[in-house]
Amino acid sequence: MLSEASKPLIDASVPVLRDHGLTITQTFYRSMFNERPELTNLFNMGNQANGSQQQSLAAAVFAYAANHRNADALAPVLNRIVHKHAAVGLKPGHYAIVGKHLLGAIRTVLGEAATPELMAAWDEAYWVLAGELIAAESRLYTTTDSGPDHRLPVRVEARRIESDDIVSFTLAPVGGGTLPDFQPGQYLSVVVELSPGVFQQRQYSLSDAPNGSTWRISVKRESGDAATPQGQVSNWLHDHAPQGTVLMVSRPFGDFVPALDGDRPIALLSAGVGITPMVSALNALAQRESRRRIVFAHAARTASHVAHRRDVEQAAARLPQLATHYFLESAEPATLAGRPALPGRLDVDVVLRDVGTDADFYLCGPLPFMQVQRAALQARGVSPQRIFREVFGPDLLDDIL
């Protein structure tokens, strides 16, 4: 727990971090990678290139400063961070490296304002937070029977083109046997060697119901544009991972886990590649022969960008109470899941006609999509406690900022 002497100093840092947080995190990453270039194998260098990782850390530092007295608000955010750290294999020793360069960046950016008293308070605050994360990560490694160095070799048993830009990979354990169980909504961290000695890892949601013998992930090819670099790992998987390829992956992690049991209606709302955890949840509901009222609503640019149509059709055959809605920005005429697709972006009013405002709503897709849908649901009377999102990056913390 943060000492009473340090609390007012951290409180006073809030406006400073709001103004200078991004500069601090940019300075931090530049300093750390210059001294420890091997850590580029651990961090997502695509997010470094597009700036989202710097924004995410800036938001995290600011959120901690603004909410260090509110443990209940921070708890779910820290839990998500713990799962992400476990998936990439963060070790306790990494915290000393991060702390050195983060505190150094604060000192560099704030200059004379970084008084010895302020830096002592931030040193204390950092290690209080680091201690909580290290302990939570240790507990998570124990419950998943894993560790930061543990990776499972899996073989690509099958690959299937699911849409214009998404390919699914069915993964089986090398040498046979079973795979650890998972909950729909969780993800794997996939490690690839892009060139000799250059590794990168990315997280991909599991996209099928648990079966004990195989896992399936669905990967969107990130082509990139003038503002966003091409996805190194997604393109490598599309181009260099045919059937038979052996990949190293983490155990399943992630706390975005739709509650599949119970009587309350459930709505699975997605856009783009955000369909993957929703298909996992839908297939699990079908597997359990759930009697809940279910809405599966998905938004895509065109009909050819709609992935996992076969999964949805097969789930519909087992779930007569399932209502399916597709929305196409192209407004092209198309029949999907036996009914005409709707033009434009996902409309929550269509969803609410099927399940009402007291349902559980799960959102996954681009950040603007989830922000718009969440706001629309709340404007129509849905409680924020009934809305759940799978988010990474800067938007991770917007509920408490």
Side-chain angles (χ1 to χ4, degrees):
M1 181 179 294
L2 198 59
S3 68
E4 291 300 319
S6 293
K7 288 179 180 179
L9 291 165
I10 299 301
D11 290 338
S13 303
V14 171
V16 176
L17 292 175
R18 183 185 293 113
D19 294 338
H20 301 289
L22 182 57
T23 303
I24 289 171
T25 57
Q26 290 171 335
T27 302
F28 154 70
Y29 281 117
R30 184 166 55 249
S31 169
M32 184 174 67
F33 290 146
N34 282 342
E35 183 175 298
R36 302 296 295 265
E38 75 277 8
L39 292 181
T40 58
N41 286 338
L42 183 66
F43 286 81
N44 184 327
M45 299 311 292
N47 286 345
Q48 284 288 319
N50 64 31
S52 64
Q53 197 159 60
Q54 296 91 326
Q55 293 169 12
S56 181
L57 179 59
V61 173
F62 172 65
Y64 179 72
N67 293 276
H68 67 88
R69 300 175 188 269
N70 188 353
D72 289 342
L74 283 174
V77 174
L78 296 183
N79 191 47
R80 287 184 182 177
I81 292 172
V82 164
H83 276 266
K84 184 67 177 290
H85 284 179
V88 301
L90 204 70
K91 301 178 181 179
H94 288 131
Y95 283 92
I97 299 169
V98 169
K100 170 188 174 182
H101 291 279
L102 181 59
L103 294 171
I106 293 174
R107 188 180 295 107
T108 297
V109 173
L110 297 189
E112 294 181 359
T115 63
E117 294 79 13
L118 178 65
M119 294 311 303
W122 266 105
D123 181 79
E124 179 188 346
Y126 173 79
W127 283 109
V128 167
L129 177 59
E132 293 178 8
L133 293 173
I134 290 169
E137 288 153 19
S138 177
R139 291 192 295 270
L140 184 57
Y141 285 136
T142 298
T143 59
T144 56
D145 190 26
S146 63
D149 290 319
H150 187 69
R151 289 292 183 268
L152 297 171
V154 293
R155 177 177 49 81
V156 177
E157 185 175 82
R159 55 178 283 162
R160 176 184 173 86
I161 296 174
E162 301 289 352
S163 72
D164 276 359
D165 53 4
I166 294 176
V167 170
S168 65
F169 298 83
T170 299
L171 309 174
V174 171
T178 61
L179 290 170
D181 200 9
F182 69 91
Q183 298 182 75
Q186 293 190 306
Y187 52 81
L188 305 177
S189 191
V190 180
V191 183
V192 302
E193 188 172 16
L194 298 172
S195 60
V198 177
F199 295 88
Q200 280 285 277
Q201 55 184 313
R202 299 290 185 272
Q203 290 69 53
Y204 297 106
S205 294
L206 291 145
S207 60
D208 202 358
N211 61 40
S213 60
T214 61
W215 289 331
R216 187 179 70 181
I217 58 173
S218 300
V219 179
K220 177 187 176 185
R221 183 192 289 273
E222 299 292 349
S223 299
D225 53 33
T228 306
Q230 183 184 73
Q232 291 179 303
V233 177
S234 68
N235 280 271
W236 189 95
L237 289 169
H238 273 247
D239 297 334
H240 301 289
Q243 184 177 2
T245 301
V246 174
L247 300 172
M248 300 301 292
V249 303
S250 72
R251 301 292 180 103
F253 290 104
D255 69 339
F256 176 74
V257 178
L260 302 181
D261 297 322
D263 299 322
R264 189 189 302 273
I266 182 171
L268 306 172
L269 314 183
S270 62
V273 75
I275 196 172
T276 55
M278 300 311 187
V279 165
S280 179
L282 181 65
N283 286 352
L285 287 164
Q287 187 182 71
R288 299 176 185 205
E289 297 183 345
S290 174
R291 297 191 177 186
R292 299 174 70 175
R293 277 190 294 155
I294 306 166
V295 169
F296 186 90
H298 179 68
R301 284 184 289 162
T302 69
S304 65
H305 285 89
V306 175
H308 290 293
R309 296 190 201 181
R310 183 177 64 171
D311 289 88
V312 177
E313 291 169 358
Q314 290 175 345
R318 300 179 65 179
L319 298 168
Q321 78 279 23
L322 169 67
T324 303
H325 303 288
Y326 286 101
F327 298 81
L328 301 179
E329 286 190 35
S330 63
E332 65 191 273
T335 298
L336 300 169
R339 62 191 305 173
L342 298 170
R345 299 186 176 183
L346 195 149
D347 183 351
V348 297
D349 290 326
V350 174
V351 174
L352 292 172
R353 285 198 292 267
D354 290 318
V355 293
T357 58
D358 197 39
D360 289 329
F361 296 86
Y362 294 91
L363 312 178
C364 191
L367 299 183
F369 165 82
M370 291 190 291
Q371 291 167 338
V372 167
Q373 301 307 323
R374 182 170 179 265
L377 288 168
Q378 289 186 255
R380 287 154 179 79
V382 177
S383 167
Q385 284 69 45
R386 302 255 64 86
I387 305 172
F388 309 91
R389 300 177 296 164
E390 172 64 304
V391 290
F392 296 100
D395 189 60
L396 175 70
L397 302 155
D398 72 349
D399 289 342
I400 66 171
L401 293 182

